[in-house]
Amino acid sequence: MAKITEAEIRSVLSTITSPEGGNIIERGMVQGLVVRDGHVGFSIEVDPAQGEKLEPMRKAAESAVTNLPGVLSVTAVLTAHKGPGATAPAQRAAATPTQRPGSGKALVPGVKHIVAIASGKGGVGKSTTATNLALAFTTLGLKVGLLDADIYGPSQPRLMGLSGRPESRDGKTLEPKQSFGVKVMSMGFLIEEDTPMIWRGPMVMSAITQLLREVNWGELDILVCDLPPGTGDAQLTMAQSVPLSGAVIVSTPQDIALLDAKKGLNMFRKVDVPVLGLIENMSYFSCPNCGHRTDIFAHGGAQREAARFGVDFLGEIPLDIKIRETSDDGRPIVASEPTSPHSLAYGEIARKIWAKLDATPQRAAPRIVLQ
Ligand code: ADP
């Protein structure tokens, strides 16, 4: 198939008229153009006040690029242009037509609940927890997807033992890969491993929207989203642009991590996403030889903080070499040793999360107020 170039995309986009006259390329409205193996994403910077009215222009731009030979999928989003005071992520996100305030539009049809697994900082075991929880949900008889939204350091392909490019049957949507009965999509399938990627604000949004909307998820009870660590722009974008049923925060017992966990908690509260609870990972040390349990300094911190912040404590997972080894080998413990105490602990946490979700109706995208 012919390889599509940026120049060809810019050329076809120059046929799209700007509301202020001229075309959207010459007016510099097209930003953050990304082309990866036939998948295209870009943003069109517009006046946020005009956001909704410009939806036909966005659609026209998207279809023009879709019709080019060699293009597999296109995600075009409207973002607020860089006028004074118009660049806050909340405002950029608000201008995106897919999340029109109060529209009640489900972003991913067929997916009942989307749950974010988040952490205040990296290295606390967020991805490992997301993987094992996704697998634990399958043991409850649920149809499960796993979206690796950690576009800065996608690790789900390795954790789930997957590699290679995703296929597209219709030339428009990508087919998720399957592992241990879970449908998986990750930026790691689309970019070379170890390729440093510099993501600018609008690109983050394009990438995440594409991983959500341009993937044939089919019918799912739950889509587990492994968020990038931290509480920066990418997390906020995700929290705002995806109709999350709730978020789960993973933390280690160390107080410093808990300080970060609090930031995560506050971020979700700010955007009106329910925090389903806190998980303490690497909670205590489980001796691989004798199974003896040794509590780590500050063990129990997450439970205390959860109570203080009025969120549920969902459970604790020990620091155990088996959890790391099985993850590194691409056969996560819940799949490879389903009856081990750790797998049962993940199962118990999954059960608690599902009980909460089942009691709440499917959510629409959170309401975002333009100021
Ligand atoms: P994050 O997504 O928060 O950056 P990862 O899930 O990538 O963290 O985990 C970081 C490292 O810690 C990985 O090597 C992983 O195998 C290991 N790890 C995570 N949880 C545990 C655990 N409970 N016991 C042992 N090792 C763990």
Side-chain angles (χ1 to χ4, degrees):
M1 199 188 289
K3 208 165 170 248
I4 188 78
T5 65
E6 258 192 45
E8 287 169 292
I9 294 166
R10 286 190 184 279
S11 161
V12 75
L13 286 176
S14 66
T15 63
I16 308 292
T17 318
S18 153
E20 284 132 28
N23 71 64
I24 60 172
I25 288 288
E26 67 188 13
R27 295 201 77 97
M29 294 164 71
V30 174
Q31 297 291 327
L33 178 60
V34 251
V35 189
R36 300 245 163 237
D37 301 325
H39 302 287
V40 182
F42 57 90
S43 63
I44 309 174
E45 292 190 341
V46 297
D47 175 356
Q50 301 281 315
E52 294 204 12
K53 268 198 243 147
L54 298 178
E55 171 61 6
M57 179 190 75
R58 186 199 68 82
K59 272 212 177 108
E62 204 169 64
S63 342
V65 179
T66 307
N67 291 336
L68 288 172
V71 170
L72 294 177
S73 70
V74 183
T75 304
V77 294
L78 296 182
T79 59
H81 73 55
K82 291 193 177 71
T87 51
Q91 290 162 327
R92 283 204 304 263
T96 309
T98 49
Q99 324 130 34
R100 217 170 290 136
S103 69
K105 188 174 168 189
L107 198 62
V108 194
V111 177
K112 278 197 202 137
H113 290 289
I114 307 181
V115 171
I117 311 294
S119 65
K121 62 166 200 173
V124 301
K126 168 189 54 62
S127 298
T128 309
T129 308
T131 314
N132 281 298
L133 280 181
L135 292 162
F137 285 121
T138 66
T139 66
L140 303 178
L142 301 173
K143 290 193 211 99
V144 186
L146 178 57
L147 168 63
D148 189 357
D150 190 348
I151 51 172
Y152 299 96
S155 51
Q156 290 305 338
R158 180 175 48 84
L159 290 169
M160 293 295 272
L162 292 166
S163 61
R165 308 263 151 189
E167 286 176 9
S168 178
R169 288 190 198 136
D170 59 2
K172 301 230 179 308
T173 47
L174 292 173
E175 293 301 313
K177 289 187 177 281
Q178 293 248 12
S179 182
F180 307 110
V182 173
K183 290 181 179 169
V184 188
M185 183 48 72
S186 168
M187 195 47 78
F189 298 142
L190 304 169
I191 55 174
E192 297 302 328
E193 214 179 330
D194 302 326
T195 308
M197 288 286 292
I198 301 161
W199 295 95
R200 294 200 311 118
M203 289 165 72
V204 171
M205 200 149 75
S206 292
I208 290 174
T209 321
Q210 193 163 347
L211 289 178
L212 260 170
R213 288 201 306 154
E214 313 284 320
V215 170
N216 183 15
W217 290 108
E219 298 282 318
L220 292 181
D221 293 304
I222 183 162
L223 180 61
V224 177
C225 282
D226 182 5
L227 283 202
T231 49
D233 247 30
Q235 295 78 4
L236 197 63
T237 300
M238 179 86 187
Q240 287 176 321
S241 51
V242 178
L244 290 171
S245 294
V248 170
I249 296 179
V250 180
S251 171
T252 63
Q254 277 69 36
D255 286 341
I256 184 75
L258 283 168
L259 275 180
D260 287 309
K262 277 179 216 159
K263 279 193 227 151
L265 227 137
N266 287 334
M267 178 184 81
F268 288 113
R269 284 197 170 153
K270 230 185 268 166
V271 292
D272 197 25
V273 170
V275 175
L276 300 168
L278 225 81
I279 298 174
E280 188 172 88
N281 187 40
M282 310 190 198
S283 181
Y284 56 91
F285 176 67
S286 169
C287 172
N289 301 318
C290 63
H292 178 75
R293 166 182 173 143
T294 313
D295 280 349
I296 291 167
F297 171 68
H299 162 244
Q303 185 153 20
R304 274 193 303 277
E305 288 304 306
R308 221 158 64 80
F309 275 82
V311 294
D312 278 357
F313 181 67
L314 295 169
E316 52 188 33
I317 302 291
L319 174 67
D320 190 321
I321 186 80
K322 263 198 192 153
I323 296 179
R324 195 190 59 71
E325 280 173 354
T326 48
S327 303
D328 280 352
D329 284 1
R331 41 178 196 97
I333 194 156
V334 173
S336 56
E337 298 178 33
T339 55
S340 77
H342 307 331
S343 300
L344 299 179
Y346 283 117
E348 185 56 21
I349 295 173
R351 203 189 47 74
K352 282 187 193 159
I353 296 172
W354 183 248
K356 287 183 173 215
L357 293 174
D358 219 16
T360 48
Q362 196 180 343
R363 275 171 63 94
R367 184 174 158 75
I368 296 156
V369 182
L370 263 178
Q371 286 159 352

